[in-house]
Amino acid sequence: MRTLDHMTIEGQWGEPNGAERPQERQRGPVVLRRSRLREHTTTDQRLLDSRGPSDWVHTDPWRVMRIQSEFVEGFGALAEVPRAVTVFGSARTPREHPEYAIGVELGAALAKIGCAVITGGGPGAMEAINRGASEAGGLSIGLGIELPFEQGLNPWVDLGVNFRYFFVRKTMFIKYAQAFVCLPGGFGTMDELFESLTLVQTKKVTKFPVVLFGKSYWQGLYDWIRDSMHASGKIGDKDLGLLHLTDDIDDAVSIVQEAYEAWEATH
């Protein structure tokens, strides 16, 4: 029987199959051997030499630094934001549409109870919320995203941050809000709605209210969640209770205010 006492140092740490130790070089914490030795420049040299191809800025290690910088910029810009409500909604809502007017009124109402508003910073429903809050003297925040068809932040954003990565932007939507309100919207709004619900359900964030504003738009989805998801046991009673469906601005603001007061009483 072979025991640890009978094992030789060579048996534990010798080269594979008795082969000589391969040549190697180090690139920071990375060890390069065999075909990887063909790299003829150093990291410092590539940093300081401005000549040559720029493909390196699109490599995954460099993206990690970009992602880190986006988190740092976002956290730094929003760290001192007062209590806030994140409002999702369609970028395609025309200014002459009744939903735009509702957004302006809702943004103003949230500002009047001391809440900053956070939107995606784009046009449509997002612009309406930012406009209402800004005109009412509140803090209007826009978190933009780099898209081929977006036109930049709307003119009613007082504090704006642009992001390359959706997941960094989503973190900012969640981290600095005490409630979520969803105006009628498309795929982006649905994505943000269900991510918010998942984070609240799994207690990744404190139990924030999620308000669906516009019964005629959201009723079908709410009914399906209740009659299919809930009825088949895919979600529980508490999960269904996370959603508040309303057409009334005062009701939406009251839900936000009550949730904040309940949160404040426990902190």
Side-chain angles (χ1 to χ4, degrees), residues 25 27 38-53 56:
R25 60 183 296 188
R27 188 177 65 196
R38 294 170 187 165
E39 195 173 87
H40 299 298
T41 60
T42 66
T43 303
D44 277 341
Q45 183 180 344
R46 290 191 297 275
L47 172 65
L48 297 173
D49 189 351
S50 60
R51 297 168 294 175
W56 59 275

Short mmCIF file of all heavy atoms in Angstrom, two decimals, residues 25 27 38-53 56:
data_model
loop_
_atom_site.label_atom_id
_atom_site.label_comp_id
_atom_site.label_asym_id
_atom_site.label_seq_id
_atom_site.Cartn_x
_atom_site.Cartn_y
_atom_site.Cartn_z
N ARG A 25 6.73 32.66 -19.19
CA ARG A 25 6.90 34.06 -18.83
C ARG A 25 5.64 34.50 -18.11
O ARG A 25 4.57 33.88 -18.25
CB ARG A 25 7.15 34.94 -20.07
CG ARG A 25 6.04 34.92 -21.08
CD ARG A 25 6.36 35.74 -22.30
NE ARG A 25 6.48 37.15 -21.96
CZ ARG A 25 6.62 38.11 -22.87
NH1 ARG A 25 6.66 37.80 -24.16
NH2 ARG A 25 6.71 39.36 -22.50
N ARG A 27 2.82 37.48 -17.11
CA ARG A 27 2.19 38.74 -17.47
C ARG A 27 1.30 39.12 -16.28
O ARG A 27 0.14 38.77 -16.20
CB ARG A 27 1.35 38.59 -18.75
CG ARG A 27 0.81 39.89 -19.30
CD ARG A 27 0.05 39.64 -20.60
NE ARG A 27 -1.13 38.83 -20.35
CZ ARG A 27 -1.82 38.20 -21.30
NH1 ARG A 27 -1.42 38.26 -22.55
NH2 ARG A 27 -2.90 37.49 -20.99
N ARG A 38 4.44 33.47 -27.60
CA ARG A 38 4.69 34.24 -28.82
C ARG A 38 4.40 35.72 -28.67
O ARG A 38 4.62 36.51 -29.57
CB ARG A 38 3.86 33.67 -29.96
CG ARG A 38 4.28 32.26 -30.35
CD ARG A 38 3.29 31.64 -31.32
NE ARG A 38 3.61 30.24 -31.55
CZ ARG A 38 2.77 29.38 -32.13
NH1 ARG A 38 1.56 29.79 -32.51
NH2 ARG A 38 3.12 28.12 -32.31
N GLU A 39 3.83 36.12 -27.55
CA GLU A 39 3.54 37.53 -27.33
C GLU A 39 4.86 38.27 -27.10
O GLU A 39 5.59 37.99 -26.16
CB GLU A 39 2.64 37.65 -26.10
CG GLU A 39 1.99 39.00 -25.96
CD GLU A 39 0.97 38.98 -24.82
OE1 GLU A 39 1.40 39.22 -23.68
OE2 GLU A 39 -0.21 38.70 -25.06
N HIS A 40 5.17 39.24 -27.95
CA HIS A 40 6.49 39.87 -27.94
C HIS A 40 6.50 41.25 -27.28
O HIS A 40 7.53 41.92 -27.29
CB HIS A 40 7.02 40.00 -29.37
CG HIS A 40 7.19 38.68 -30.04
ND1 HIS A 40 8.05 37.71 -29.58
CD2 HIS A 40 6.56 38.14 -31.13
CE1 HIS A 40 7.99 36.64 -30.37
NE2 HIS A 40 7.09 36.87 -31.31
N THR A 41 5.39 41.68 -26.73
CA THR A 41 5.37 42.98 -26.07
C THR A 41 4.90 42.81 -24.64
O THR A 41 4.31 41.80 -24.27
CB THR A 41 4.42 43.96 -26.79
OG1 THR A 41 3.09 43.41 -26.78
CG2 THR A 41 4.86 44.19 -28.22
N THR A 42 5.18 43.82 -23.82
CA THR A 42 4.74 43.80 -22.44
C THR A 42 3.51 44.68 -22.28
O THR A 42 3.18 45.50 -23.14
CB THR A 42 5.84 44.32 -21.50
OG1 THR A 42 6.05 45.71 -21.78
CG2 THR A 42 7.12 43.55 -21.69
N THR A 43 2.82 44.51 -21.13
CA THR A 43 1.63 45.32 -20.87
C THR A 43 1.98 46.80 -20.82
O THR A 43 1.25 47.64 -21.39
CB THR A 43 0.99 44.89 -19.54
OG1 THR A 43 0.69 43.50 -19.60
CG2 THR A 43 -0.30 45.66 -19.28
N ASP A 44 3.09 47.15 -20.16
CA ASP A 44 3.51 48.55 -20.11
C ASP A 44 3.78 49.10 -21.49
O ASP A 44 3.43 50.22 -21.82
CB ASP A 44 4.77 48.69 -19.24
CG ASP A 44 4.44 48.77 -17.76
OD1 ASP A 44 3.27 49.07 -17.45
OD2 ASP A 44 5.34 48.54 -16.94
N GLN A 45 4.43 48.29 -22.32
CA GLN A 45 4.76 48.75 -23.66
C GLN A 45 3.51 49.04 -24.46
O GLN A 45 3.41 50.05 -25.16
CB GLN A 45 5.61 47.70 -24.37
CG GLN A 45 6.07 48.12 -25.77
CD GLN A 45 6.91 47.05 -26.44
OE1 GLN A 45 7.39 46.13 -25.78
NE2 GLN A 45 7.09 47.16 -27.73
N ARG A 46 2.52 48.14 -24.34
CA ARG A 46 1.27 48.37 -25.09
C ARG A 46 0.52 49.58 -24.55
O ARG A 46 -0.16 50.27 -25.28
CB ARG A 46 0.40 47.11 -25.02
CG ARG A 46 0.95 45.94 -25.82
CD ARG A 46 -0.06 44.82 -25.95
NE ARG A 46 -0.41 44.25 -24.65
CZ ARG A 46 0.27 43.29 -24.05
NH1 ARG A 46 1.37 42.80 -24.60
NH2 ARG A 46 -0.12 42.81 -22.88
N LEU A 47 0.64 49.83 -23.24
CA LEU A 47 -0.03 50.98 -22.65
C LEU A 47 0.59 52.28 -23.15
O LEU A 47 -0.11 53.23 -23.51
CB LEU A 47 0.06 50.91 -21.13
CG LEU A 47 -0.42 52.14 -20.36
CD1 LEU A 47 -1.92 52.34 -20.57
CD2 LEU A 47 -0.09 52.01 -18.88
N LEU A 48 1.94 52.33 -23.19
CA LEU A 48 2.64 53.58 -23.49
C LEU A 48 2.84 53.82 -24.98
O LEU A 48 3.07 54.94 -25.41
CB LEU A 48 4.00 53.58 -22.78
CG LEU A 48 3.92 53.53 -21.25
CD1 LEU A 48 5.31 53.36 -20.66
CD2 LEU A 48 3.25 54.78 -20.70
N ASP A 49 2.73 52.76 -25.79
CA ASP A 49 2.93 52.89 -27.22
C ASP A 49 1.58 53.12 -27.89
O ASP A 49 0.72 52.23 -27.90
CB ASP A 49 3.59 51.62 -27.77
CG ASP A 49 4.02 51.78 -29.22
OD1 ASP A 49 3.65 52.81 -29.83
OD2 ASP A 49 4.72 50.89 -29.72
N SER A 50 1.37 54.30 -28.42
CA SER A 50 0.07 54.64 -29.01
C SER A 50 -0.07 54.11 -30.42
O SER A 50 -1.13 54.22 -31.04
CB SER A 50 -0.12 56.16 -29.03
OG SER A 50 0.91 56.77 -29.80
N ARG A 51 0.98 53.54 -30.98
CA ARG A 51 0.91 53.03 -32.34
C ARG A 51 0.30 51.63 -32.36
O ARG A 51 0.21 50.96 -31.36
CB ARG A 51 2.31 52.99 -32.96
CG ARG A 51 2.96 54.37 -33.08
CD ARG A 51 4.42 54.24 -33.41
NE ARG A 51 5.15 53.61 -32.30
CZ ARG A 51 6.43 53.29 -32.35
NH1 ARG A 51 7.12 53.52 -33.44
NH2 ARG A 51 7.01 52.73 -31.31
N GLY A 52 -0.11 51.20 -33.54
CA GLY A 52 -0.60 49.85 -33.70
C GLY A 52 -2.12 49.78 -33.62
O GLY A 52 -2.81 50.77 -33.40
N PRO A 53 -2.67 48.57 -33.80
CA PRO A 53 -4.13 48.39 -33.82
C PRO A 53 -4.76 48.67 -32.46
O PRO A 53 -4.12 48.55 -31.43
CB PRO A 53 -4.29 46.92 -34.22
CG PRO A 53 -3.01 46.27 -33.80
CD PRO A 53 -1.94 47.31 -34.01
N TRP A 56 -7.45 46.00 -28.87
CA TRP A 56 -7.35 45.64 -27.45
C TRP A 56 -8.44 46.30 -26.61
O TRP A 56 -8.81 45.78 -25.57
CB TRP A 56 -5.97 46.03 -26.92
CG TRP A 56 -5.66 47.49 -27.04
CD1 TRP A 56 -5.14 48.14 -28.12
CD2 TRP A 56 -5.87 48.49 -26.05
NE1 TRP A 56 -5.02 49.48 -27.86
CE2 TRP A 56 -5.46 49.72 -26.61
CE3 TRP A 56 -6.37 48.47 -24.75
CZ2 TRP A 56 -5.52 50.92 -25.91
CZ3 TRP A 56 -6.43 49.67 -24.05
CH2 TRP A 56 -6.01 50.87 -24.62
#
